[in-house]
Amino acid sequence: MKLTLKIWRQKNAQAKGQMVTYPIDGIDGDMSFLEMMDVLNNELINKGEEPVVFDHDCREGICGSCSMFINGEAHGPDRLVTTCQLHMRKFKDGDTITIEPWRAAGFPVIKDLMVDRSSFDRIQHAGGFISINTSGNTQDANAIPIEKIDADAAFDAATCIGCGACVASCKNSSAMLFVSAKVSQFALLPQGQVEATDRVLNMVKQMDEEGFGNCTNTGACEVECPKGISLENIARMNREYLAASLKG
Amino acid sequence: MSGLLKSSIGRKVAMALSGLFLVVFLTQHFVINSTAVLAPELFNTWSHFMGTNGLVQFGLQPVLIFGVVFHFIMGFALELQNRKARPVKYASYKGGAAAPWTSRNMIISGLVILAFLGLHFYDFWIPEMIHKYVETHPEDPTRYYAETVHKFENPVRVGLYVLSFVLLALHLWHGFASSFQSVGFNNKFSVALSKFAKVWSVAIPVGFIIIAVYLHFNQIPH
């Protein structure tokens, strides 16, 4: 497969970046998108040029590192996949592929396609946890009966890998899907009730401070989320937030 | 509680609640207007009531004006904040692949509705206020139907009204159904509620279009 890649190159956070075009040949349909990027980087290194910097780690759709905005969509044209799970067979010989970093005030570019997602860490630190002493005498979680429907919904929310595709896809760069997943995974379980009020208030406050936009309920985040996190979580967070605001 | 309107969620709830209030207003506006086609005498009676009742004029009217102004100001504030949240735009952004046009362009449909409200106030509300409170004519309870029909004599005005109602339908198509999500209502009833909201969002503007076109083609002598 012969392709033309248009890739965002930016020296550092302060530099003004630009799109650079790279022709590439010999790409197999069974390669993953990141393997194709590896081929490109090998060629660049062999030519003495600087390779394209991009985030990647597990390469099996778990870590959420591989943030790339491919042809106008987070993680490219496929659904329920991260970039590392995207195969080159989704593209045709002769295609031009535009590759950009996540674009959001809350995700400043560090270099090329790599963005700083520590804003998500700070939101998590603000309340995405439960204060249970895990020193050894903790009650077995299975000893607390939880309705299957709630346990499943909490687990679905907990599958969020914090990749930021929701922010990247949203026209407002809103982080509501991410934050709502992190709120929901505790809101549905008895273990999450102790800090429920502070959790949602503090996490939303931090989200707003990080410069993410508002939710317009377009549903773009849900469509592009590699883990299929649903908009139901945002509605649940809204309810939690309203209830917490009235209380606290 | 104090910071609610400063928070992103508080603001979207405020947008949803003011929007739902305007949906209720539109429904009653449509019901009264439909009598201009179905029963002109009833139109006069109801218009006279709405135009002279103290509770409507000095109680509900200011609340309505506040609701409209609040919805627009909050909408602009959110739009500005949302634009700031993505300082560098994408070279390639397939918004349409994941979200419908109506949901991504509420500001466009909203601005057209705002422009329409300017025209609508110029046509009806301002003359009505001058007639009642500045020039203080003796009240004629039969004047409303003829005045309304004559407003729709000009085909350009009818065209502008029809265009605005189409944009109103697009605005409501997303706004009405999504307001329930904003206030946290997402459960087994949501699909049915969303379907009802979408039918309503088309039916009411189409009804307004039918009224405008009907009155244009059924003029009465001045």
Side-chain angles (χ1 to χ4, degrees):
Chain A
M1 216 188 285
K2 210 173 179 176
L3 300 163
T4 306
L5 306 176
K6 286 186 173 174
I7 302 177
W8 182 261
R9 301 302 309 261
Q10 185 173 332
K11 241 185 170 59
N12 54 49
Q14 288 75 38
K16 201 174 172 288
Q18 57 175 341
M19 299 299 286
V20 178
T21 305
Y22 300 98
I24 191 165
D25 201 355
I27 298 301
D28 194 290
D30 291 337
M31 280 181 181
S32 79
F33 200 86
L34 295 189
E35 283 162 351
M36 183 276 294
M37 292 298 292
D38 293 339
V39 172
L40 172 74
N41 275 347
N42 270 338
E43 285 180 12
L44 291 177
I45 290 165
N46 288 340
K47 279 195 270 181
E49 291 178 32
E50 226 180 283
V52 178
V53 173
F54 59 92
D55 265 323
H56 62 106
D57 190 14
C58 74
R59 298 208 177 200
E60 53 185 6
I62 296 170
C63 73
S65 296
C66 48
S67 53
M68 283 187 198
F69 210 73
I70 301 159
N71 279 351
E73 289 182 81
H75 300 303
D78 214 351
R79 294 285 174 256
L80 298 172
V81 294
T82 51
T83 304
C84 61
Q85 294 171 302
L86 177 68
H87 285 98
M88 292 314 294
R89 66 180 83 100
K90 285 280 164 189
F91 301 91
K92 291 193 304 288
D93 186 42
D95 272 0
T96 298
I97 305 175
T98 308
I99 310 166
E100 297 171 81
W102 288 169
R103 295 287 189 203
F107 289 162
V109 173
I110 297 169
K111 187 172 176 158
D112 294 340
L113 302 173
M114 183 189 268
V115 295
D116 179 358
R117 282 174 282 186
S118 56
S119 50
F120 270 17
D121 295 339
R122 289 188 290 273
I123 293 170
Q124 277 286 65
H125 293 168
F129 52 81
I130 50 171
S131 303
I132 286 180
N133 189 342
T134 52
S135 58
N137 52 0
T138 319
Q139 186 186 5
D140 186 338
N142 291 320
I144 306 169
I146 297 165
E147 273 195 55
K148 172 99 170 94
I149 198 160
D150 287 339
D152 284 353
F155 190 80
D156 284 348
T159 58
C160 167
I161 52 176
C163 64
C166 46
V167 173
S169 308
C170 174
K171 76 177 185 70
N172 306 333
S173 300
S174 169
M176 292 250 185
L177 194 68
F178 164 75
V179 181
S180 71
K182 299 300 171 196
V183 166
S184 285
Q185 67 186 20
F186 296 122
L188 288 156
L189 301 176
Q191 292 91 335
Q193 300 314 308
V194 181
E195 290 127 332
T197 304
D198 286 346
R199 174 181 304 117
V200 69
L201 291 177
N202 292 340
M203 288 181 85
V204 170
K205 185 166 172 272
Q206 189 64 39
M207 171 182 82
D208 290 346
E209 281 173 10
E210 296 291 349
F212 294 108
N214 302 278
C215 177
T216 313
N217 304 326
T218 68
C221 53
E222 180 183 59
V223 174
E224 299 288 2
C225 174
K227 298 296 161 189
I229 304 291
S230 132
L231 285 187
E232 272 175 44
N233 293 297
I234 298 185
R236 185 176 298 107
M237 175 173 69
N238 295 347
R239 287 198 298 275
E240 289 276 318
Y241 187 80
L242 286 176
S245 297
L246 295 174
K247 262 193 231 166
Chain B
M1 197 59 198
S2 55
L4 197 58
L5 268 188
K6 283 187 192 147
S7 78
S8 51
I9 294 181
R11 286 180 172 185
K12 64 186 265 186
V13 170
M15 274 307 270
L17 292 179
S18 55
L20 285 172
F21 168 70
L22 296 176
V23 161
V24 173
F25 162 71
L26 265 182
T27 310
Q28 72 83 23
H29 195 343
F30 173 73
V31 170
I32 292 177
N33 281 24
S34 65
T35 59
V37 172
L38 302 171
E41 279 177 23
L42 191 60
F43 181 78
N44 275 332
T45 311
W46 282 2
S47 300
H48 175 68
F49 171 78
M50 297 297 277
T52 53
N53 183 280
L55 183 66
V56 173
Q57 285 293 299
F58 305 109
L60 294 181
Q61 190 164 257
V63 173
L64 172 65
I65 291 172
F66 174 77
V68 172
V69 171
F70 179 85
H71 195 71
F72 273 110
I73 290 178
M74 192 54 91
F76 285 129
L78 288 171
E79 179 69 18
L80 286 178
Q81 206 176 354
N82 293 341
R83 281 173 188 248
K84 244 175 70 185
R86 179 159 294 149
V88 182
K89 306 282 172 243
Y90 287 112
S92 164
Y93 181 64
K94 275 192 198 146
W101 187 93
T102 49
S103 71
R104 288 179 290 116
N105 293 285
M106 292 296 273
I107 189 72
I108 294 176
S109 50
L111 280 172
V112 173
I113 296 165
L114 183 59
F116 165 76
L117 277 184
L119 175 66
H120 199 51
F121 267 49
Y122 171 79
D123 281 348
F124 290 96
W125 194 77
I126 294 171
E128 190 62 21
M129 290 297 118
I130 292 172
H131 181 90
K132 270 194 304 220
Y133 303 119
V134 181
E135 294 173 352
T136 58
H137 295 278
E139 176 59 7
D140 170 15
T142 60
R143 69 186 169 92
Y144 296 98
Y145 178 68
E147 280 178 11
T148 307
V149 171
H150 293 149
K151 289 285 181 196
F152 291 96
E153 199 173 355
N154 185 345
V156 176
R157 179 179 277 123
V158 175
L160 287 174
Y161 271 57
V162 169
L163 179 72
S164 306
F165 292 138
V166 170
L167 269 294
L168 176 66
L170 295 176
H171 197 76
L172 290 166
W173 182 263
H174 174 70
F176 189 7
S178 104
S179 59
F180 300 110
Q181 163 81 6
S182 291
V183 296
F185 189 86
N186 187 329
N187 52 40
K188 62 181 175 180
F189 303 110
S190 294
V191 174
L193 193 61
S194 171
K195 275 185 190 157
F196 163 76
K198 300 224 182 243
V199 169
W200 187 97
S201 303
V202 175
I204 296 288
V206 166
F208 276 121
I209 290 174
I210 291 170
I211 294 168
V213 173
Y214 177 87
L215 295 183
H216 175 68
F217 287 110
N218 289 277
Q219 286 293 311
I220 51 175
H222 280 265

